[in-house]
């Protein structure tokens, strides 16, 4: 973060708000010409401040109307078992986010599915195939109040 100046921070903020913004439009927001803005953005990408670009899709319109947070406890806590779980869960398309957490559980999964029947199939056939899961606790989302993937700017 110490390598970033105010212009870099503004570029990151603007790109986070709209990654489709043109270099020319971006240059106008930071009062620079397009060439240095283009070079700064490439540098921010190369240094890993920008991980990539993506389109945010509406899950409901895509037929995925049920969001479930699934807390997982592993049967055993070894390096090999933990690493295998991570590899297995990364391959599961219904899991959109996975966090290694502290407390009563080891991992928290965010799962997007069509409906309860789809989730039942996911638990039985997909999670059931993942080795060394000791328990799974599901929490169903009733409504989304705030959702985002951005980094806060102060």
């Amino acid at each position: 973060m110490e390598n970033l100046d105010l212009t870099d921070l503004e570029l990151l903020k603007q790109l986070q708000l709209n990654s489709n913004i043109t270099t020319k439009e971006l240059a106008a927001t930071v009062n620079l010409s397009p060439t240095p803005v283009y070079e700064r953005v490439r540098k921010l990408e190369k240094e890993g401040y920008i991980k990539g670009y993506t389109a945010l899709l509406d899950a409901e319109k895509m037929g995925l109307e049920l969001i479930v947070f699934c807390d997982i406890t592993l049967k055993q806590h070894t390096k090999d078992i933990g690493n295998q779980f991570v590899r297995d869960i990364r391959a599961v398309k219904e899991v959109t986010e996975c966090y290694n957490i502290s407390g009563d559980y080891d991992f928290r999964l965010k799962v997007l599915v069509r409906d309860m029947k789809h989730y039942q199939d996911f638990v039985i056939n997909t999670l059931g195939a993942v080795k060394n899961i000791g328990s799974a606790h599901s929490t169903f989302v009733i409504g989304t109040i705030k959702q985002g993937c951005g980094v806060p700017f102060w």
Side-chain angles (χ1 to χ4, degrees):
M1 186 75 181
E2 62 274 352
N3 297 334
L4 302 179
D5 62 19
L6 292 175
T7 301
D8 291 329
L9 290 171
E10 186 60 30
L11 290 170
L12 291 171
K13 182 178 177 182
Q14 293 303 318
L15 284 167
Q16 183 171 262
L17 290 171
N18 177 10
S19 65
N20 281 335
I21 191 170
T22 66
T23 302
K24 184 178 178 180
E25 293 168 327
L26 198 52
T29 65
V30 295
N31 297 316
L32 289 175
S33 63
T35 300
V37 166
Y38 176 83
E39 290 170 357
R40 279 178 177 253
V41 170
R42 293 299 160 253
K43 181 180 175 219
L44 292 167
E45 291 170 348
K46 183 179 176 188
E47 291 178 355
Y49 289 98
I50 300 171
K51 288 182 158 187
Y53 300 91
T54 188
L56 297 176
L57 305 181
D58 185 314
E60 283 188 41
K61 287 187 179 188
M62 299 298 294
L64 301 170
E65 297 187 13
L66 185 60
I67 302 169
V68 185
F69 289 98
C70 183
D71 294 328
I72 302 291
T73 303
L74 298 179
K75 288 180 185 176
Q76 295 177 316
H77 297 90
T78 68
K79 180 180 177 181
D80 290 340
I81 288 171
N83 287 337
Q84 185 60 53
F85 175 82
V86 169
R87 281 191 299 276
D88 290 345
I89 224 63
R90 281 184 174 152
V92 177
K93 66 181 179 179
E94 290 93 346
V95 176
T96 61
E97 297 176 43
C98 175
Y99 302 95
N100 185 204
I101 59 174
S102 65
D104 294 335
Y105 302 100
D106 300 314
F107 294 92
R108 175 163 291 156
L109 313 177
K110 180 179 178 184
V111 181
L112 294 179
V113 289
R114 290 183 303 276
D115 52 28
M116 191 61 76
K117 186 171 179 96
H118 185 183
Y119 187 67
Q120 179 184 26
D121 180 71
F122 167 81
V123 169
I124 293 169
N125 296 308
T126 304
L127 280 186
V130 177
K131 294 179 181 174
N132 290 302
I133 291 179
S135 68
H137 177 268
S138 302
T139 303
F140 301 95
V141 174
I142 296 170
T144 301
I145 309 305
K146 181 178 178 182
Q147 182 179 22
C149 62
V151 174
F153 281 85
W154 286 274

